[in-house]
Amino acid sequence: MVAATDRWVRRHNRRTRWFHAGVYLMTLTLLGTGWWLLAGQEGHPSPLARITGTPDTTLHTMVGWAFVVLAGAGLALGFRAVRTFATESVRFRRTDLRWFARWPAATLTGRFSYHDGHFDPGQRLINLALVGGLFALIGSGAGMASLHGGPVFAVLVQVHIWATYLVTVLIAGHVAVACGVLPGYRGVWRSMHLGGRLDRSVAFRLWPGWSARQEPVSLGAYVLEALDPVETARVEEHLRNCVSCQAEVADMRTTVRRIGKASGDSRRS
């Protein structure tokens, strides 16, 4: 294993970033036109309707179906990524409770509790709620487009409205975090923009376990005290929370002591 020296770490590949961009552009369009219609502005074109020359109801329906196509394509073409997203989002460890306890202060200080997931514990909850809300929007919207009145239609309307409320709150929170409004999350926006190149210090602050797996530390060099102070501090931070690496370091130190003892004995003889 070698210690990483590059300042940057890539968190998301190009396909993931483009999919993310498509989802958010369509979601924001749906929310914008949806809230315009909920406000009783049907018949009064929104700014987006004026720009596109398309009535808000038509625009909302068209983008809704396009969203269905995009979601289907993502599920079909990105099965491995979807599987990773799902398994990482539903994982839970007892240490996650400590992360939540420290989270309010950490949003200001950036001193988040250690976790070993691809997503932090808060992201996992947001992921599940957002996916559920989006599927509720897609399902109820498709049902409303297929029906023209009746009791089922009325239920779907209510589901669609409440799903809109939920997704709006979640998207607003996501945007606030991604834009660095909370000091603890400054720099995170680069993980989905500018080539997905994220500063390593930001990656280790927010996703320490994942970052350590992406850029494995040089445990051998650490045992031999051959790392510079910055890398030494990073290894020690990792070791505080990684039991397997602690055991590996202990084994290496035992081996080094034995080699040293054998070398000393051979010199004396």
Side-chain angles (χ1 to χ4, degrees):
M1 294 188 297
V2 294
T5 56
D6 189 6
R7 175 186 173 186
W8 307 99
V9 58
R10 193 180 303 279
R11 181 158 167 82
H12 299 292
N13 60 34
R14 181 178 296 178
R15 286 194 299 178
T16 300
R17 297 196 306 273
W18 277 106
F19 182 76
H20 176 274
V23 167
Y24 271 91
L25 284 175
M26 290 185 183
T27 300
L28 292 175
T29 301
L30 289 172
L31 290 178
T33 53
W35 276 105
W36 187 265
L37 296 171
L38 277 176
Q41 297 299 312
E42 185 174 355
H44 301 279
S46 67
L48 187 58
R50 293 192 186 97
I51 292 172
T52 60
T54 306
D56 288 291
T57 52
T58 303
L59 185 61
H60 191 79
T61 302
M62 289 172 56
V63 175
W65 285 117
F67 192 97
V68 172
V69 173
L70 179 65
L75 290 171
L77 301 177
F79 177 76
R80 290 180 59 187
V82 171
R83 183 178 59 186
T84 299
F85 178 88
T87 55
E88 285 289 333
S89 294
V90 299
R91 63 179 290 172
F92 175 78
R93 302 287 185 274
R94 284 192 200 179
T95 53
D96 291 348
L97 299 177
R98 183 171 56 192
W99 186 93
F100 281 112
R102 292 183 58 176
W103 179 78
T107 60
L108 302 177
T109 65
R111 297 175 182 174
F112 296 93
S113 182
Y114 180 88
H115 69 89
D116 193 42
H118 184 88
F119 304 111
D120 67 45
Q123 280 181 294
R124 296 171 209 161
L125 292 181
I126 296 298
N127 287 347
L128 295 175
L130 188 55
V131 168
L134 290 174
F135 270 108
L137 280 177
I138 291 174
S140 58
M144 290 163 58
S146 304
L147 299 174
H148 303 283
V152 175
F153 181 87
V155 171
L156 291 175
V157 169
Q158 291 302 311
V159 171
H160 202 72
I161 291 174
W162 284 102
T164 299
Y165 295 157
L166 173 64
V167 171
T168 298
V169 172
L170 294 175
I171 293 295
H174 178 81
V175 171
V177 167
C179 291
V181 173
L182 300 173
Y185 288 99
R186 282 178 184 161
V188 70
W189 65 276
R190 296 180 70 97
S191 67
M192 276 295 181
H193 305 281
L194 299 181
R197 287 164 54 84
L198 183 68
D199 192 293
R200 285 177 60 222
S201 64
V202 177
F204 272 90
R205 185 174 78 238
L206 297 174
W207 306 287
W210 173 85
S211 300
R213 290 195 299 275
Q214 301 307 305
E215 300 185 28
V217 296
S218 178
L219 297 180
Y222 171 74
V223 169
L224 296 174
E225 299 182 355
L227 296 176
D228 62 43
V230 174
E231 288 299 329
T232 298
R234 186 165 76 87
V235 173
E236 290 175 345
E237 174 66 24
H238 175 69
L239 288 174
R240 276 196 286 271
N241 302 284
C242 183
V243 176
S244 62
C245 285
Q246 290 171 11
E248 189 172 348
V249 166
D251 289 342
M252 287 181 180
R253 283 176 172 161
T254 299
T255 301
V256 169
R257 283 195 296 269
R258 288 174 178 170
I259 293 173
K261 183 178 179 180
S263 177
D265 292 343
S266 65
R267 287 196 203 97
R268 284 194 294 272
S269 62

